[in-house]
Every structure is written in C-alpha cells, then in structure tokens.
Amino acid sequence: MSQSDAAELLASFRSWRDRAIAGLMLYCGLRSEEVLGLDVVDVDIGGRWLKVPLGKLDTERMVPLDTEILALIDHITEIRSPGRPLPHPRYRRAAQFLFTHHGRRLSQNAVRAELDRAAETAGLDHITPHQLRHTYATALVNAGVSLQALMALLGHMSAEMSLRYGRLFDTTVRAEYERALDLAKQQARTPAPGRRNLPLADITGGADWKDTPLLKSRLAGGFCLRAPAQGACTYANICEHCPSFHAEPSSLPILAAQRVDAEALAADAEKRGWIAEAERHRRLVAQLDTLISEAQAG
C-alpha cells in the first residue's frame, strides 16, 4: 500500500479500538495474532514501547510505538473496564487482553471483517491484515533502515525472512522514482549535468567518503559517489572485470589500495543492509585478487 492509501484506510475505521488494531500492524509491524494477544501490561505508555509477547517464531521483542497509535492505545486503556482475566492462547496464563469484545478476546474474523469494511469505505481493494505489516516493512526498507534493525523490528530470526520484504522495494518505489531521485540528489548534493561539481566536503559533510550513506565504488584512480535512488553505476569497475584488462607489476600498490577500500565498502554495505551492494564489492575483491596474482607472476 502507498502511504496515502494507508492514511485513508486508517481514517476509515469506525472505533478507537479498530483504528489502534490496524495501526499496530501498519505503523508498528505487528502480526494480527500478535495484536490480539497483547496484554494491557505489555504497553509502556511513558516509554513509548510495546512488548510483543511470544509469537509466531516463539520470540519476544520490543518495538517503538508510533505517536498516533500510542495516543489511541492510551485512550483505550483509560476508558476500558477491567474484565475477567482470560487464559492466554499461547501460554495459558491469565491475561487482561487489550482488545476485547463483550468480555471476550477479539477474533481474527472480526478483525478481517472490519478491515474489509474500512477498505471499502476508503475506496480500496481487498486488504489482508498481513498487507499492513508488509506496508510497514516496505516503508522501512525504502527509508534505508538497516537489515539488522528490520529483523529486530519484525521479529525475524534470519536475514532471508526480512529480505523478502526488501524485494518489495522495486515495485513500491517505481511510482515515485522521479520524486525520490530528486530528493536523493538534494540530500546527497549530487551535481546536475552541465553544472560545476560541488566540493567533495559538501557532498560527504566532511566525513570520509567511504563512510557516507551513498552508493560508493572504488576505482583504480579515484572513487565514485551516487545517491541510493540512482542505483549502482552500470559501468562501475567494468575495466577490472573485462577479460582484456591486464595489470602490470608497477600497478600492484594501486591494486592493493583499491582492494583495501573495496573490502571496507563491502563491510559498510553489509552494515546498512545493502546486500546486493555488498556482493558487488565482494566480486571486485575477488577479481582484484586475481589481477594481483597475475601481476605478481609477471
């Protein structure tokens, strides 16, 4: 879902309770069964955190609460009447469920029915609860959240699980490509064609170019910086990978320096969750090893 559709959907729910349920999936990334399993004690209003109890993967995690959803939950906890504690479906202890209906724990069917009604009111196609979680994850990926942070927020045990959400990037960003590219150019101060290049310090903010949040390529005679929305340059390191390229012994210091920087760029990309970018640098490292060996052999 686009962010504008998400806002329309949230505004179409009729009650504080249903808006909070959808918001916890849409802006906090909870699964629907996790939302319905929340106990009143799981919400830290003052600290703006939510403890998500044992869920699908038998893991417990803490997620930050969106300000708007926090206000809804705060209102619900203020007006709700404590009822009879009910056994929790996962660990059977008595729980004061945050979301109830006539003294009973709210059902998945009730959530889906209200979601269908709200989607119809907002003029949207059929939407499933898990699509709201997908929307949350995709928004984080598009904003550049690291893979490690995404895994923690979604409660995933492996990078592969989170990368499924990362692949949604291409389809969601295409419709806003021009806007995103213009914004990225402004943020990175990428010079427009025909204009004089800005000083490097203006682009990197005075930091080492290898640490900037841009797509970086180490070249034999320098380096290249591109905004993330532009993607990696098609021609980056094309010579090093060309079968017609040969290195001379006199070039060994240049190749060695390029290899050191390529390793650093791979580590930087992995830390940011840019898996494809990290693999690109790793391929260059492997090719440089081959070129260095050949140059050393004469």
Side-chain angles (χ1 to χ4, degrees), residues 5-6 8 13 16 22-23 31 39 41 43 57 65 71 126-127 131 156-157 161 163 236 254 263-264 268 294:
D5 284 348
E8 285 287 337
F13 286 97
W16 295 77
R31 302 176 179 91
D39 193 321
V41 299
V43 184
L57 301 178
L65 275 168
H126 172 71
I127 295 172
Q131 278 180 265
H156 285 163
M157 299 296 291
M161 297 177 68
L163 285 174
I254 298 174
E263 283 276 16
D268 177 82
E294 291 175 352

Side-chain angles (χ1 to χ4, degrees), residues 101-123:
H101 180 67
H102 295 317
R104 295 178 179 274
R105 177 173 175 265
L106 202 63
S107 69
Q108 293 270 10
N109 288 338
V111 172
R112 293 192 184 95
E114 180 56 22
L115 181 56
D116 285 341
R117 191 210 61 78
E120 184 178 358
T121 300

